[in-house]
Amino acid sequence: MDPVFLLPLISLAACCVLMTITFFIGKAINNFSIVDMAWSFNFLVIAGIIWLMTDGFEPRKAIVCGLLSLWALRLGIYLGARIFSHINREEGRYIQLRKDWAANLNTKMFGFYQMQAGSNVFLAIPHFITAQNMHPELYPLEYIGAAIWLLGIAGEGIADHQLSRFKKDPANKDRVCDKGLWYYSRHPNYFFQLTLWVGIILFSINTPWGWLSLAGGLSIAYLLFRVTGIPMTEEQALRSKGAAYKRYQQTTSMIVPWKKLKEAR
């Protein structure tokens, strides 16, 4: 079978198996939040499959697999540390899903886990394509794309670290994090996740069929703005922080930090 089709199929099978195992672990420990960590580490598995099964230009393949692995490790370790710091208490979004899906929780949650496996493979499409590009030199846009991709990984990591440090301080209990990057944007982690995808798109665009990376970027933007990202995060923040978060919403930009930058001018 052509690697173009074989790579996604093998990756989907691996991710579905891993998500099935994760589902039963989550059920056993009564904490379905671990799906977020598993989703991140699935990209590390996909990077390994790409490395072993593609024969594109080695430096290009090394960048694709290296940056994808770096992002997956960084995000997976961060989420794992956060989840296991309160493993006996499920995260707010999943507490809400338990309420919403109470009539058929296990079936719906299992389906949700498998959908996450599917999203892993869908979002990896530009990586599958680009790693098979045999053009024997890197394009200028690939250098630019790789730099922006790395900037996105670093910025997302800084934002997550700042939030984690803020939450660990007992003095900040019930307060809204408005320090560091969070002073300028309510969701700097999502801002840099979108930045990361700009880098992926630029890196992929010169590869045949590389325009398909636009689908991944647009899908991430849709999920962040309309589905599981900002809407669920802000709903949970309003439930837990109330009026303090409403004030934060009024003074800080959702993603792009134009409000505070405008004030600075």
Side-chain angles (χ1 to χ4, degrees), residues 32-144:
F32 285 123
S33 307
I34 61 172
V35 67
D36 293 339
M37 177 184 66
W39 182 84
S40 304
F41 283 131
N42 273 352
F43 285 109
L44 187 62
V45 173
I46 289 173
I49 292 170
I50 290 172
W51 180 258
L52 293 172
M53 294 190 61
T54 60
D55 55 1
F57 182 51
E58 287 291 328
R60 180 178 292 110
K61 188 169 78 167
I63 292 172
V64 170
C65 295
L67 289 178
L68 181 59
S69 298
L70 177 63
W71 177 76
L73 278 170
R74 203 287 309 166
L75 185 60
I77 291 170
Y78 167 75
L79 291 174
R82 188 181 78 188
I83 292 164
F84 281 96
S85 70
H86 52 78
I87 195 63
N88 295 321
R89 176 171 51 86
E90 205 165 39
E91 299 207 331
R93 289 179 299 162
Y94 294 95
I95 292 173
Q96 188 62 40
L97 286 177
R98 281 183 181 274
K99 294 176 183 177
D100 295 342
W101 294 346
N104 202 5
L105 175 64
N106 288 332
T107 300
K108 288 189 174 182
M109 192 63 76
F110 181 80
F112 176 76
Y113 271 55
Q114 297 307 312
M115 286 177 61
Q116 296 304 299
S119 74
N120 283 129
V121 176
F122 176 74
L123 293 174
I125 286 174
H127 307 87
F128 295 141
I129 294 169
T130 309
Q132 296 181 72
N133 185 350
M134 299 182 69
H135 184 71
E137 61 181 353
L138 294 173
Y139 301 104
L141 267 182
E142 288 179 314
Y143 288 105
I144 296 170

Side-chain angles (χ1 to χ4, degrees), residues 158-159 162 165 177-185 188:
I158 291 168
Q162 290 174 341
R165 187 173 59 184
C177 178
D178 58 357
K179 307 297 182 184
L181 295 172
W182 300 84
Y183 173 80
Y184 298 98
S185 166

Side-chain angles (χ1 to χ4, degrees), residues 214-232:
L214 290 168
L218 291 173
S219 297
I220 283 290
Y222 177 76
L223 290 171
L224 290 182
F225 282 103
R226 296 293 184 185
V227 188
T228 59
I230 292 169
M232 291 183 70

